[in-house]
Amino acid sequence: MSNPTLSWNLVSDVRELLAFPFMVQALAAGTIAAILSGVLGWYMVLRRQTFAGHTLSAMSFPGAAGGALFGLPGALGYYIACILAALAMSPRGTSRRGAAGLQSARIGVVQAVGLAAGFLFLSLSSEILGGLDDLLFGSFLGITPSQVVVLAIVAILVLAALAVIGRPLLFASLDPELAQSLGVPVRTLEIGFMLLLGLAVAATTQVTGALLVFALLVTPPATAQRLTARPGWSLVLSVGCALLVIWSSLGAAYFSVYPLGFFTTSIGFAIYLLALGGTALTRRHAQAQPV
Amino acid sequence: MTNALLQNALVAGTFIAIACGLVGWFAVLRAQVFAADALSHFAFTGAIVGLALGFDARVGLFVFTIGCALLLAALGGRSRVDDLTIGIAITWVLGLGVLALAFFATSSAGSGGASAATALFGSILGLNASQADAAALIGVGITLLMLLIARPLLFSSLDPAVARARGVPVVFLGVLFLLALGGVAAEATQAVGALLLLGLVAAPAGAAHRLTAHPYRGMLLSAGIGVLAVWLGLWIANAFPNIPPSTAITAVAAAAFLGAGAPAALRRRPRVSGRRPTPHERSGRPETDAP
């Protein structure tokens, strides 16, 4: 492969990019991951469950190490670890005083136990620690077509399930007390959402790495919710932002020597800062010139 | 394993556990366990950035972590920094870490993954005497700081508005607390590993909060459970050489957290259909500012 160089002709650049099957697969996987995390992340940010999402993405480590130790087929370990963590983190008895603090302690304990288990699996399997970089930071070079297919199936299942519970979940997220009193099964929805989030994170992490999924899961929804308060538009914007981040960073990573994770996080952060600055400016403008 | 190494581990582990227990008790009270987790990631990134720039890893780690603690405080403004902001900060800082790792991997013969692994998991049984003394000294220093600010910090954590009205420097105390958290994270990460930090901050403190609502008794209990977890964990790791010490210590601490939940669950059961909690209790956090 000749060293790729960026020309000013964007069309020929894109054509060069798409000439390689591995880039096409990376783009396909990235697109699915972006849609999945744009939607699930939107709910996660709305529900202020960033810590839980972060813990789920850390579960890729025990998932991979456990899968290697017990000889599970690659992806299964991820799913098991994420589902177990999601169940362990589901809040119970949220009505007591100090529940927020205890909930954050519980999530911290789940993460610590998960990492500790991963470390144990790793030392038991007595394998040399290889591929840790890929595990944490993702590699978009080795994505196989079958991985893309599995990712697509999981994405369709998760999104379909979310389409069913989406509206009541939105209600339960915005006003849990009112929703509960109107007969919405708030607790079931909470557990269901954690499970879906776990599945989405597990599916995305094995393709994109633990860091990248978090970059797609948090920054685009936060940007979208900054920009508009209307749920529908915000959701669309969140997915759009995630797609923009993954496409541009895949392109940038292809044409440079620096890793994909750096571009994903930085581009996402830059967009968030732009949104932050933009809303602050318009707010000041609106204050200065009262109608 | 020689006796001297075990002795060093006991000294360093005990003092780090005391500091983690005290800081962790406040982290759970203020629902800021995520900040501790984030700071441990920052410490890990700082070590890599330090190595990439050619500094001593320990200097890079401390400067970077303390700097990030200040950044978190600044992002929080006058109120406590929320989970979403921490999530975005983590994502971006880890992105920087990826870039530094890429530089480091190309600039030195050592594998980036291997050094990342030591930064992640440290090794409590690999400390020499001077490292153990340094860890103990920093542990004592942070413990003293926490004891010194315990009373006003307690007041300003429980009721920031009233504390502010009574002339307690709420914002300053919050910054000081984040700095203490950063100090613990930096020290624990390089001495015993980031994994152990989360286990020692979240689990003993969570257990103490479950067992007693009395502040000073809770702090004492939290530090005590941490120390006990370190001692028991080291004993287990000594008895079963297959189990890494970090895993054993985390497992003991997590078991304490789980066990502490049992009596409360038993006590709560009979009055499930009791009075409805007030909205203030429901929200869990005593903070007044809206999310």
Side-chain angles (χ1 to χ4, degrees):
Chain A
M1 186 172 98
S2 66
N3 210 21
T5 45
L6 190 61
S7 70
W8 287 106
N9 184 350
L10 210 63
V11 176
S12 78
D13 287 341
V14 170
R15 195 168 296 144
E16 184 189 336
L17 243 156
L18 293 180
F20 296 101
F22 77 86
M23 273 315 281
V24 176
Q25 274 143 27
L27 274 172
T31 305
I32 299 170
I35 294 172
L36 199 56
S37 18
V39 175
L40 269 295
W42 187 84
Y43 276 100
M44 184 188 83
V45 168
L46 186 74
R47 300 169 56 80
R48 293 283 181 264
Q49 288 184 321
T50 323
F51 191 19
H54 178 60
T55 296
L56 283 175
S57 73
M59 288 308 121
S60 61
F61 173 61
L69 177 64
F70 299 116
L72 301 174
L76 199 59
Y78 283 90
Y79 289 112
I80 293 175
C82 276
I83 287 173
L84 287 180
L87 286 178
M89 281 189 300
S90 293
R92 33 185 89 73
T94 45
S95 55
R96 281 182 308 136
R97 186 182 168 80
L102 264 185
Q103 177 60 16
S104 85
R106 175 180 294 122
I107 298 173
V109 172
V110 169
Q111 188 179 347
V113 168
L115 291 178
F119 198 33
L120 179 68
F121 297 155
L122 200 68
S123 61
L124 284 183
S125 69
S126 71
E127 275 174 34
I128 300 162
L129 191 62
L132 183 71
D133 292 3
D134 286 353
L135 185 70
L136 288 176
F137 307 129
S139 161
F140 63 106
L141 294 179
I143 297 168
T144 59
S146 68
Q147 268 179 312
V148 177
V149 172
V150 172
L151 187 63
I153 293 172
V154 173
I156 290 169
L157 289 179
V158 168
L159 289 178
L162 193 67
V164 174
I165 67 165
R167 272 190 81 84
L169 181 65
L170 183 65
F171 187 19
S173 308
L174 291 174
D175 197 336
E177 274 119 57
L178 186 61
Q180 181 119 49
S181 66
L182 287 180
V184 177
V186 174
R187 230 180 99 50
T188 314
L189 284 175
E190 272 172 359
I191 297 173
F193 173 69
M194 278 309 271
L195 279 178
L196 290 183
L197 189 63
L199 278 177
V201 169
T204 316
T205 316
Q206 51 179 310
V207 179
T208 57
L211 175 64
L212 189 56
V213 64
F214 205 49
L216 289 177
L217 210 57
V218 175
T219 335
T223 309
Q225 290 182 12
R226 235 326 123 176
L227 289 176
T228 171
R230 299 176 60 170
W233 280 117
S234 177
L235 205 54
V236 171
L237 205 60
S238 168
V239 172
C241 254
L243 285 174
L244 181 70
V245 167
I246 193 73
W247 286 341
S248 57
S249 56
L250 271 174
Y254 175 77
F255 285 109
S256 85
V257 295
Y258 298 115
L260 177 66
F262 169 68
F263 288 111
T264 344
T265 54
S266 297
I267 293 173
F269 190 59
I271 294 176
Y272 179 70
L273 282 187
L274 276 179
L276 213 64
T279 47
L281 268 183
T282 48
R283 199 170 300 153
R284 185 164 299 169
H285 195 67
Q287 274 170 359
Q289 294 174 324
V291 221
Chain B
M1 159 192 349
T2 65
N3 237 342
L5 282 182
L6 192 60
Q7 217 164 26
N8 292 341
L10 272 175
V11 171
T14 304
F15 286 101
I16 287 180
I18 295 175
C20 282
L22 284 182
V23 174
W25 191 85
F26 279 103
V28 172
L29 180 72
R30 298 163 65 89
Q32 283 193 318
V33 177
F34 194 21
D37 185 29
L39 285 167
S40 79
H41 287 285
F42 295 162
F44 160 68
T45 312
I48 299 172
V49 169
L51 284 173
L53 294 178
F55 295 136
D56 178 38
R58 203 193 294 195
V59 175
L61 181 144
F62 266 94
V63 171
F64 198 82
T65 313
I66 299 290
C68 284
L70 286 175
L71 180 79
L72 281 189
L75 287 174
R78 295 193 65 82
S79 57
R80 243 166 263 173
V81 54
D82 73 335
D83 278 9
L84 180 59
T85 316
I86 299 176
I88 291 170
I90 284 195
T91 312
W92 185 60
V93 170
L94 281 183
L96 283 186
V98 183
L99 187 67
L101 202 62
F103 275 124
F104 181 59
T106 49
S107 72
S108 84
S111 135
S115 79
T118 24
L120 258 183
F121 302 117
S123 169
I124 192 169
L125 285 172
L127 297 171
N128 61 36
S130 71
Q131 282 170 326
D133 287 347
L137 218 67
I138 291 176
V140 170
I142 289 169
T143 306
L144 286 180
L145 172 72
M146 289 315 292
L147 290 179
L148 206 67
I149 63 170
R151 231 185 119 76
L153 184 62
L154 185 65
F155 191 13
S156 77
S157 303
L158 286 174
D159 200 334
V162 175
R164 200 172 288 150
R166 294 284 296 269
V168 177
V170 174
V171 176
F172 175 70
L173 283 170
V175 173
L176 217 56
F177 174 68
L178 275 180
L179 282 181
L181 211 55
V184 168
E187 176 50 36
T189 301
Q190 58 107 11
V192 297
L195 155 62
L196 205 45
L197 169 83
L198 194 58
L200 284 179
V201 163
H209 274 276
R210 279 179 158 181
L211 289 175
T212 173
H214 188 284
Y216 294 108
R217 224 171 283 159
M219 288 176 217
L220 202 67
L221 202 62
S222 171
I225 293 174
V227 170
L228 216 69
V230 168
W231 290 352
L232 256 177
L234 281 175
W235 179 76
I236 292 174
N238 204 15
F240 306 93
N242 266 343
I243 302 178
S246 313
T247 303
I249 295 172
T250 308
V252 174
F257 178 73
L258 270 184
L266 289 178
R267 241 181 296 132
R268 206 160 18 162
R269 192 143 299 160
R271 46 185 181 103
V272 158
S273 56
R275 71 185 174 91
R276 277 180 63 83
T278 64
H280 181 68
E281 285 176 345
R282 224 168 219 290
S283 73
R285 57 168 76 202
E287 213 172 355
T288 45
D289 43 10

